[in-house]
Amino acid sequence: MAVVCGVLYALAWFTHIGWFYAANALAVAIFLLNIPLPWLILRGLSAERSMIARAGGRSKDVFEEDTISLAVELRNRTRFPTFLFKIQEECPLIAPDEEQPGFFVGMVAPQGSITAKYDVRCYRRGVYSLGPILVETAAPFGLFRAQRMLDATLEVTVYPQVLAMETNVNRGSLEGRTPDASPPVHSGEFRASREYQHGDYVQNIHWRNSARRGQLMVKEFDRIPQGEVRLALNQDIDVGEGRTSTLEYAIKIAASVAQRCFLEGRPFQMWPRAQERPLSAWHLVLEHLARLPSRTPASIAEFLDYGTAPGISVLIVSAADRESLAKLMERRSPSPNLTVVLLRDFGPGEDPNAAEKLFKMGFSVLPCGRSDLRATLDSLSRLMSMSEPPARTARAGVRQAASV
């Protein structure tokens, strides 16, 4: 633009033609006006970000692979219209290779507001803080560009993916009542109905009460107490990338096992333990797993020293976690109700003979590779249906794995 002004002034100087002087004056006026105007356009803007709902769901809880709707509301607090600017989001919820969302806004009326909505698929569990929003404009002529950061923070907790496990009996709930550790007693009598919660079975919906209340209600049965389930994992060793890492697989297994325990009203304990309060409710387990890792290197040792109560113990360990494997092998007499889920084939540094070593020492082992998550949960489901894990079945799986 400065070059155009210079050319017009030179032509007017040499030719003394009047309209060259007029055109030069107009170009200079446009140039000077465009210096402060982009900053003035963004001056009165404020923003607020919110999560509308979990798309297609009935719950506000957000899990991996869920698609959620986010909204950005922009308000114009001035008496002049705000126009021709772009919104650029920095959303940590999406996968690393996905393009960040952006919007172009034509105009916001004086003292008015607009709302931009978009859907995102939650890539990985965790607690995410969505920071300020970047707005920028080069209006009206594109000569100068102005940017501004608008404070619109929002915290979103993404729970780990929970895979359904076949339950022994469909009773209990996810409300977190402290279950009894007495042996199983098969009764299963209908007791009451309550509001539908994420994870409840559709076949347990009480349609008559749902129609009467105007919201989904599910049948609640007498809980059948069963043996305690103890589970441990080491979050300090993580082999792999993104969601296909040993830590993420271990957390998915832990969440799935915990859900079944709470559905059945079964005692559940987990290592690493929560520091603030015991994991007595389903949502506390999800919150704990979403916020891992937090360094607790003594968790495996505490788990192994806990003792052998009625029920089963599940240790999820990576084949690259040589320290935890060494602690496990130091115990010359393995507990008969201990099952080791061995995560292998995730990356370098793994002990290729870990499964065979554990098997020779008498441990019940369930090898789990990248494509074995569903099969591993099915095996754990069968083990949880028994008072003690059948070492014969687990060892057969190790023999087959060792021969591959």
Side-chain angles (χ1 to χ4, degrees):
M1 190 65 180
V3 174
V4 173
C5 293
V7 171
L8 290 175
Y9 181 77
L11 290 173
W13 176 265
F14 287 110
T15 63
H16 297 285
I17 298 176
W19 66 269
F20 277 130
Y21 285 105
N24 177 67
L26 180 60
V28 172
I30 293 175
F31 181 79
L32 295 177
L33 180 63
N34 205 80
I35 294 176
L37 197 55
W39 283 270
L40 292 175
I41 290 175
L42 302 180
R43 179 175 57 89
L45 285 176
S46 63
E48 182 179 353
R49 188 193 277 114
S50 61
M51 186 178 71
I52 301 174
R54 185 165 61 90
R58 304 184 182 92
S59 172
K60 293 182 180 180
D61 295 335
V62 181
F63 292 80
E64 281 183 11
E65 298 290 345
D66 280 351
T67 299
I68 62 174
S69 298
L70 296 177
V72 177
E73 183 180 5
L74 288 169
R75 299 187 182 95
N76 180 12
R77 298 173 297 174
T78 67
R79 298 181 180 180
F80 303 96
T82 300
F83 52 89
L84 300 178
F85 63 90
K86 185 173 68 173
I87 305 172
Q88 186 61 47
E89 273 277 45
E90 290 291 337
C91 183
L93 297 171
I94 63 178
D97 56 346
E98 291 185 19
E99 184 179 357
Q100 292 288 344
F103 312 93
F104 179 79
V105 179
M107 187 185 72
V108 183
Q111 304 292 332
S113 65
I114 63 166
T115 301
K117 301 178 182 178
Y118 62 96
D119 294 340
V120 295
R121 184 175 62 89
C122 299
Y123 172 72
R124 187 177 179 180
R125 59 96 199 174
V127 180
Y128 299 93
S129 179
L130 283 73
I133 297 172
L134 174 66
V135 292
E136 61 179 2
T137 182
F141 304 111
L143 301 179
F144 298 96
R145 185 174 300 273
Q147 294 182 344
R148 186 181 173 193
M149 302 297 294
L150 303 179
D151 185 23
T153 58
L154 175 68
E155 184 176 279
V156 178
T157 300
V158 179
Y159 296 140
Q161 183 182 15
V162 181
L163 302 176
M165 299 177 67
E166 182 181 354
T167 56
N168 225 359
V169 283
N170 295 333
R171 54 180 54 82
S173 70
L174 304 182
E175 297 175 356
R177 294 186 296 261
T178 303
D180 184 11
S182 57
V185 177
H186 294 277
S187 61
E189 296 182 359
F190 173 74
R191 180 159 56 103
S193 63
R194 56 174 174 80
E195 293 183 12
Y196 177 90
Q197 298 178 7
H198 182 82
D200 288 330
Y201 288 89
V202 177
Q203 58 264 33
N204 285 348
I205 294 178
H206 198 303
W207 295 109
R208 182 179 300 176
N209 285 1
S210 299
R212 186 183 299 115
R213 294 283 299 273
Q215 59 181 345
L216 283 179
M217 306 290 291
V218 294
K219 301 175 184 178
E220 190 172 40
F221 298 90
D222 287 336
R223 292 174 298 160
I224 296 184
Q226 301 188 47
E228 182 182 62
V229 176
R230 301 165 293 276
L231 184 144
L233 58 92
N234 183 9
Q235 74 276 23
D236 294 329
I237 303 295
D238 191 15
V239 180
E241 297 181 357
R243 292 181 304 180
T244 58
S245 68
T246 55
L247 177 59
E248 299 306 315
Y249 267 58
I251 289 175
K252 288 180 178 65
I253 295 173
S256 303
V257 170
Q259 185 197 43
R260 170 169 174 170
C261 289
F262 279 93
L263 281 171
E264 294 183 347
R266 191 167 184 171
F268 175 78
Q269 292 200 56
M270 178 182 169
W271 287 263
R273 296 179 177 272
Q275 300 297 326
E276 299 179 355
R277 48 185 173 175
L279 302 177
S280 58
W282 170 235
H283 75 275
L284 295 179
V285 175
L286 290 177
E287 192 81 20
H288 179 58
L289 292 173
R291 294 181 181 275
L292 287 178
S294 56
R295 295 187 63 83
T296 51
S299 59
I300 299 298
E302 292 177 1
F303 167 78
L304 295 175
D305 293 338
Y306 180 75
T308 57
I312 65 171
S313 299
V314 179
L315 174 60
I316 309 172
V317 61
S318 168
D321 188 0
R322 298 177 183 271
E323 182 178 353
S324 297
L325 290 173
K327 291 179 181 178
L328 188 61
M329 294 178 185
E330 289 175 359
R331 299 177 172 266
R332 298 184 177 179
S333 55
S335 171
N337 57 358
L338 172 63
T339 298
V340 180
V341 177
L342 185 67
L343 302 174
R344 63 179 190 177
D345 301 330
F346 282 83
E350 297 181 344
D351 183 356
N353 300 318
E356 188 65 28
K357 292 177 182 177
L358 291 173
F359 167 68
K360 288 182 178 180
M361 296 189 68
F363 289 95
S364 298
V365 184
L366 290 176
C368 179
R370 292 176 183 267
S371 59
D372 301 334
L373 183 58
R374 182 70 266 175
T376 300
L377 289 175
D378 290 341
S379 298
L380 287 176
S381 181
R382 290 190 291 270
L383 293 177
M384 292 176 65
S385 300
M386 308 174 185
S387 59
E388 293 185 359
R392 184 180 306 171
T393 303
R395 289 173 184 173
V398 174
R399 290 195 186 98
Q400 182 179 3
S403 61
V404 175

